[in-house]
Amino acid sequence: HRARKRFEGFTEALAKSGVEIADTEFYSKGSALKKGREMTQAMLARSPGLDCLYYSNDIVGAGGLLWMMEQGYDIPGKIGLAGFNDVELLQGLPRKLATMDSCRAEIGRRAAEIILERVENADAPTAGKVELSPKITFGDTLRMS
């Protein structure tokens, strides 16, 4: 559900800038490095001229990155890659995947603080809107031009 909503927002924002999605590949039943490898291979077989692949999460993106490196793709010279979630586990990859940190840890901390405030003082006013700003890490897989 969340990945679908992100994709809808992503494609809408691109469309407003005059950029159209050239190809898509969807999956179900969990994400894994293997899914990223398989999906990347399938997309590039169908659409070899793509200039960037955006993955719904970093694990799938890492699988795509590893497959493309094995195949000798020029990353980011000829094709860029980006993931989502800034998964710390992937910091040992040969290249740092471009990604966006959606502030998951901060969301968890703030939620816990709000719950604790209510437990400690049931009469406390309800917390107002909490707004966090995602952070983009460009890594080594996007060309900055």
Side-chain angles (χ1 to χ4, degrees):
H1 176 73
R2 291 185 315 269
R4 182 182 53 80
K5 301 277 270 175
R6 278 195 311 271
F7 179 73
E8 289 169 359
F10 181 70
T11 56
E12 183 179 312
L14 288 176
K16 286 180 182 176
S17 297
V19 177
E20 186 178 327
I21 299 290
D23 196 354
T24 58
E25 180 86 10
F26 297 100
Y27 67 95
S28 60
K29 298 186 181 179
S31 59
L33 292 171
K34 183 178 179 185
K35 289 257 192 217
R37 296 172 75 86
E38 294 169 351
M39 293 170 62
T40 301
Q41 183 177 10
M43 284 192 68
L44 292 173
R46 275 194 318 265
S47 303
L50 295 175
D51 58 7
C52 187
L53 296 176
Y54 172 72
Y55 298 89
S56 63
N57 68 60
D58 288 345
I59 301 295
V60 176
L65 171 62
L66 292 171
W67 183 84
M68 292 178 74
M69 289 177 69
E70 289 169 4
Q71 304 305 309
Y73 279 86
D74 179 5
I75 306 162
K78 296 284 183 188
I79 187 165
L81 304 173
F84 184 84
N85 271 342
D86 197 18
V87 176
E88 190 174 332
L89 171 73
L90 301 181
Q91 291 183 5
L93 288 173
R95 295 196 188 163
K96 174 71 175 137
L97 183 66
T99 189
M100 185 170 64
D101 179 356
S102 58
C103 307
R104 293 179 306 156
E106 182 64 20
I107 290 168
R109 276 192 291 280
R110 287 294 301 134
E113 289 169 1
I114 291 167
I115 291 168
L116 284 172
E117 288 171 13
R118 296 294 290 174
V119 167
E120 292 172 357
N121 183 1
D123 296 329
T126 303
K129 180 178 177 182
V130 176
E131 192 168 320
L132 303 172
S133 298
K135 296 165 194 78
I136 296 173
T137 302
F138 291 99
D140 303 319
T141 59
L142 288 179
R143 188 174 54 227
M144 301 303 295
S145 59

